[in-house]
Amino acid sequence: MTQKLHVAFVWHMHQPLYKDRLTGHYLMPWVRLHAQKDYLDMLEVLKPYLELRQTFNLVPSLLEQLVDYAEHEAWDRALELLVKPVERMSQEDKAYLLERAFDLNWAHMLRPYARFSELADRRETLRALSPEERLAAFDEQDWRDLSTWFNLAWFDPLWLSREPALAALVARDRGFTQEDREGLYGLIRAHLKRVIPAYRDLAASGQIELTTTPYYHPILPLLCDTDSAREARPELPLPRVRFAHPEDARAQIRRGIDDFVRHFERAPRGMWPSEQSVSPEALALIAESGLDWSISDEGILARTLGLSMARDARGIPYEAASLYQPYRVQTPNGPVSMIFRDLTLSDLIGFHYAQLPGEEAAADLHARLTRIRQVLPDGGEAYLVTIALDGENCWEHYAQDGFVFLDEFYRRVARDPLIELVSVGDFLDRHPPRRTLDTIAAGSWIASDFTTWIGEPTKNRAWDLLSRTRSDLVAAEAGLDDAIREAAWEEIRIAEGSDWFWWFGEGHDSGQDELFDLQFRLHLRNVYQLAGLTAPAELDEPLAMPVPEPASGKLHLPSGALAPGEWHQAAVYDPTRGQGAMHAAAKVLQRLTYGTDAEHLYVAAEFAPQYEPQEGDELVLYFCYPGRVRHNSAIALEMDGVSAPTSRWRFGHALHVHLGWPQGAILMEASEYDGWRFVAECERWAMGETLELSLPLAMLDVPPGQEVHFVVATARGGAIAEVLPPQQPLHLVVPRQRMPV
């Protein structure tokens, strides 16, 4: 393509409601802390490049809390402890600081500061002591400094260097006084007051477009009908009670739009549906609301069109011309324009570029966009590459909170006449959709389904509790006055938010899952309190009973050995479900199940729905054995842009499974000088949507009780597409004898 390529960045700014509306108390500080670090600096780095346009999505529940902090002096516990005199701190206050004050990225937000590092290291050395002994090891000055650094370190480095008062505190490093702490409190309040006006001003200038989301960030298709989850997963276990309330979805959309108008004195044109979750019913409600456009993931487009979004060795989709353009989707309430994000480019920013120097990452992204422009057909048509992701959580993993990367990328694009950064609405005005879809597949940006929010026992139980509470309110609401009835329904709408279901059950670990569990049940109990009803006793108990901590937050270790096919006893690794609130989309694999008995290692690899094997495609399991002296060699595949730390390890064995034609599996063993030698062909007994493998442990020469670490690489044309897990290996221990089955 010889004409310019249009690129739309859509940054999603989102936090759930952490506030108990009945008491006004904030149970978590994340809205405030992210407001100190992420919202203003995203505008600040963009503003000098006046010709560049972007789109920002602001979730209403986030805006409500920003207003609460900025105008109504909302408090969270970390903020209270910033100004509370140390001599008045309770043991519980100090325990909270010691537990939570280090919840940040240590490399970029703690290690640069000597005093903060000193306090963190002291805590680590005291872990063997009792809680009382640990607290006694810190004196009053330690608590002043710790409460100060907890709040100070969450300021973006941009503000720590630009704001003289903040820079002075950083330079002081230690010995903070009560006056210093109260001064920092004032700086925080002043900073929070700037956030919403800054977005309003930049939107008025035309440099950014603002969009909204259903108010409390619910999964719209599941509010419309929980049965929609079975479109992508026909066998998915669902809650006992079917939840089908499109009127609730409509109310969440309407309230999101009304809230946007209150803040920005204009109606939004676009809506980011929560978690990019769509279905025909949900899209019809968006069209009904008068919105022009919406957004989802390339996996949804692939399922809708019946295409594969497979990529070549350079990461460019074979269906680039289909992905990089908007569509007009027909609904019973009129058409909606839809754009679909490039998950590879979005995930590079969200999960991988932080591992590179900022300038190198920016050059790579610019080069990828240039290659995309070069392969698109040259028919005079305008194409749009959509890069859409969370605008908050990834930056703490970058040096300088991502400033170097973003500034260098913007500088490169500003000088490139063949790449134009556009807002979505502006592009659609100039280039309306050329293609029409009669329907759309139901799913989200995670694995193109809804399994992050439904289908797991704890998640399903939460849906049943929500259904019961809603039914009880409907039965009682006729006897309530208008204000009480509306307050009770507001608690239902809060409980419909996606974030509670995200953290319930398996797949995610916030480090504070019990607080999300507590908040969900709190909102349901509030319904009964407002309605004058007795709350069910089950709302007093956690949704899921505590389980022992696994060795890794991503793994569920097998309880014993297993026989072929008995995957319920095995460990599960899901690459789309990382720790925390960040997800990398599945490229080839969306689930690994594995385990061992005394004779065999078993692996079941479930492929992503959009994956279609091609000639030369491989899945390779690389094994190493802690504590054993033996040859270990580097991965024998080309590293094409793969920056996962585990891709640079050395391994003792490699099991190569050919997914395309011809099919087969061979075991290789590391040898001298980083070489590999053939060992044997291996048994494979099933290949389809899931590949099942059996590897005799005798071929690995590992004794009973040996710990085995391994990673899984997928490759096309001899070049690695991904290495899983990217940060740490999977691991298991060879059992000493076969367990009863």
Side-chain angles (χ1 to χ4, degrees), residues 308-320 324 344 368 371-372 374-375 587 614 617 640 715-722:
S308 168
M309 285 299 168
R311 284 165 157 77
D312 64 21
R314 299 176 300 169
I316 298 175
Y318 293 110
E319 296 289 345
Y324 298 136
T344 294
R368 288 174 182 268
R371 290 199 296 267
I372 289 171
Q374 291 168 346
V375 303
K587 296 177 181 177
Q614 299 183 17
D617 283 10
D640 183 23
R716 170 161 291 171
I720 291 179
E722 60 187 344

Side-chain angles (χ1 to χ4, degrees), residues 1-4 373-381 383:
M1 185 175 73
T2 56
Q3 67 267 30
K4 68 173 60 175
R373 187 188 63 77
Q374 291 168 346
V375 303
L376 285 168
D378 196 356
E381 297 177 325
Y383 288 92

Side-chain angles (χ1 to χ4, degrees), residues 716-737:
R716 170 161 291 171
I720 291 179
E722 60 187 344
V723 179
L724 301 173
Q727 302 291 336
Q728 61 184 30
L730 304 172
H731 54 93
L732 46 77
V733 177
V734 177
R736 298 188 180 277
Q737 59 183 1

Side-chain angles (χ1 to χ4, degrees), residues 279 287 485 556 660 666:
S279 67
R485 181 169 57 250
H556 303 285
I666 61 171

Side-chain angles (χ1 to χ4, degrees), residues 339-619:
I339 59 172
F340 299 91
R341 72 167 190 149
D342 182 309
L343 69 86
T344 294
L345 297 181
S346 303
D347 280 359
L348 282 170
I349 297 173
F351 303 98
H352 301 294
Y353 280 155
Q355 302 167 32
L356 301 177
E359 295 87 349
E360 183 179 335
D364 182 81
L365 180 57
H366 181 254
R368 288 174 182 268
L369 292 170
T370 298
R371 290 199 296 267
I372 289 171
R373 187 188 63 77
Q374 291 168 346
V375 303
L376 285 168
D378 196 356
E381 297 177 325
Y383 288 92
L384 178 71
V385 175
T386 300
I387 301 174
L389 67 152
D390 186 307
E392 302 165 319
N393 290 300
C394 68
W395 303 120
E396 67 185 78
H397 303 286
Y398 282 72
Q400 293 296 303
D401 211 47
F403 183 92
V404 175
F405 162 69
L406 289 171
D407 186 59
E408 175 64 17
F409 176 73
Y410 294 160
R411 185 184 65 82
R412 286 175 174 269
V413 173
R415 298 188 309 180
D416 188 341
L418 293 177
I419 296 178
E420 180 182 358
L421 295 196
V422 296
S423 67
V424 177
D426 182 54
F427 178 85
L428 293 173
D429 285 341
R430 290 187 282 157
H431 308 286
R434 302 184 299 270
R435 299 189 186 185
T436 298
L437 301 174
D438 294 329
T439 188
I440 197 163
S444 73
W445 69 274
I446 304 174
S448 302
D449 61 27
F450 300 123
T451 54
T452 296
W453 304 276
I454 198 168
E456 188 270 348
T458 306
K459 300 177 192 294
N460 286 349
R461 186 181 176 209
W463 279 102
D464 284 331
L465 287 173
L466 174 62
S467 293
R468 176 178 176 179
T469 305
R470 190 186 187 284
S471 296
D472 289 346
L473 176 58
V474 169
E477 67 175 332
L480 306 177
D481 66 45
D482 291 346
I484 294 296
R485 181 169 57 250
E486 176 55 28
W489 275 107
E490 196 71 3
E491 296 294 323
I492 291 290
R493 287 189 280 266
I494 295 169
E496 290 174 339
S498 69
D499 296 86
W500 321 119
F501 300 91
W502 174 290
W503 296 115
F504 293 148
E506 306 300 338
H508 294 97
D509 178 14
S510 68
Q512 295 177 273
D513 285 3
E514 70 283 356
L515 276 180
F516 285 96
D517 187 320
L518 172 65
Q519 288 178 86
F520 175 77
R521 291 181 289 108
L522 171 68
H523 292 301
L524 296 185
R525 285 201 303 271
N526 285 348
V527 174
Y528 289 96
Q529 180 178 337
L530 287 163
L533 303 174
T534 301
E538 56 191 324
L539 289 180
D540 295 326
E541 298 294 333
L543 286 164
M545 297 303 294
V547 296
E549 283 291 323
S552 164
K554 292 185 179 180
L555 307 179
H556 303 285
L557 300 180
S559 57
L562 66 158
E566 294 189 347
W567 303 115
H568 66 281
Q569 298 183 34
V572 176
Y573 171 71
D574 186 339
T576 70
R577 297 185 177 188
Q579 295 182 13
M582 299 291 287
H583 271 261
K587 296 177 181 177
V588 176
L589 297 176
Q590 69 177 17
R591 191 183 304 271
L592 288 169
T593 309
Y594 61 94
T596 181
D597 58 23
E599 290 86 30
H600 290 84
L601 170 72
Y602 305 110
V603 176
E606 183 179 344
F607 297 100
Q610 71 272 15
Y611 172 68
E612 294 181 4
Q614 299 183 17
E615 183 176 353
D617 283 10
E618 287 185 88
L619 180 147

